[in-house]
Amino acid sequence: MSILADEAHAVDLGLRWAPGFSALGPEFFSEVEPRPLPDPYWVGRSLAMARELGLDPAWLDSAEGLAVFTGNLPIAGTRPTASVYSGHQFGVWAGQLGDGRALSLGTTAGGLEIQLKGAGPTPYSRMADGRAVLRSSIREFLCSEAMHGLGIPTTRALCVTGSDARVRRETFESAAVVTRVAPSFVRFGHFEHFAAAQRDDELRALADFVIDRFYPECRGGERFGGNAYAALLEAVSERTARLLAQWQAVGFCHGVMNTDNMSILGLTIDYGPFQFLDGFDPRHICNHSDASGRYAFNQQPNVAYWNLYCLAQALLPLIGEQELAVAALESYKTVFPDAFEARMRDKLGLAEGAPGDRALLEGVLKLLAQEKVDYTIFWRRLSDMVAGGDPQAVRDLFIDRGGIDGWLAGYAERRATIPVAEVAALMVKSNPKFVLRNHLGQEAIEAAEQKDFSGVATLLALLETPFEDHPGHDAFAGFPPDWASTIEISCSS
Ligand code: AMP
Ligand code: MG
């Protein structure tokens, strides 16, 4: 008898479970048992996430917690499932994909779904091993919590566990399991899956599930003549637009914006070869496997729209009329630029818009791009300058002193009528001091591979509150070392 079928071993997490995605029925998922990993150990834990789930932190510290979140012990009251979805990868229809290495443990009564990523194969693993490696699991764990700390919608992460079991990638690496948490992991690809198979009943059930749980305002309104599915498409387009505005403003490059990696809730999901920009290069490609630059930093807003178009196609059988679907997508074209400008104005400390703001913003982005000035450091130094610091620290970032002096003069004029304290207060909470740069992650990973997990804990603490100063940790807010540009991160993880 398998250990998971053995109810006697099942652990009571002290949480109440509610029917979540699994309420949709067996057409949408398969029940799958995690495959245990030998001798697991803790790599990282987010106590903030534990508290939100209502888990006792002391229990999370225990050997039982370790076993549960490695997939080595079953949980009482729920059954693990893997869901089926399809999607477009790099612009091409890829057919059926699905949770190849993610298992949903269940949804809490508080509405949070808990997944294990890397706990073994599922019916959707397609010849792959269902595992995740330590390096990419640490990256997903830290970046999930970092995005949350930045105020950017994201799936969260509770913990990472590791095992010395070997996993084969380009070389052999150690296995790990990330526990991630979100109100839902439904992707655009879930809709594409049932649309492609012309299974309209399932398509409708899925859309109704998403509307009822997450977009109830889409029902019963007057918009689109009361067409709830068109209203859903519009609401998802708007959330996605606002998400992309936040990515672009903070300098986040996702790296694999396939439609199966797009959350129906507008969350950042599936952390793979992502990167926070070091020097500002709008054409930066962070995914080593993306030879054509389809997912380059400055392409992301367009790709999101392309992906929404795929979602629109999938929802068309429910929406009925093509014109309604087209109209629902339109919102993206205004919400994205408006939201982006608003986020960038926040970075400039300008709460209210004024004519000329776009030119001011374009001016500074052009200067940053010309010299590939460090994006995060520039904005933080600009905040410090406004708060009373030395403007020389900003000027020092540029070789073209005339260019930045001219821009700074225009900026000073623009904010002259606003109290300095107001501008500075907005800037300091809009320009993070700490982001998960590739080299910081890499250093924590290399230490973790030697069983030193202190770097993961330190980074987590900084990234949870990235706008705070954290005295004594300035090294984590400095320029990347030369070797940072040689880090290659691909889809393989
Ligand atoms: P990704 O590029 O990480 O979003 O993955 C795309 C698809 O490949 C999804 O269906 C994943 O579940 C699946 N996949 C990726 N890596 C593995 C793996 N090691 N084992 C099983 N499935 C995987
Ligand atoms: Mg994925």
Side-chain angles (χ1 to χ4, degrees), residues 1-10 33-36 71-75:
M1 180 164 55
S2 92
I3 191 166
L4 291 182
D6 178 1
E7 290 293 329
H9 282 98
E33 296 177 3
R35 186 168 295 177
N72 292 3
L73 271 182
I75 299 173

Side-chain angles (χ1 to χ4, degrees), residues 85 187 260-261 270:
Y85 55 80
R187 302 141 190 274
D260 54 302
N261 291 339
D270 278 17

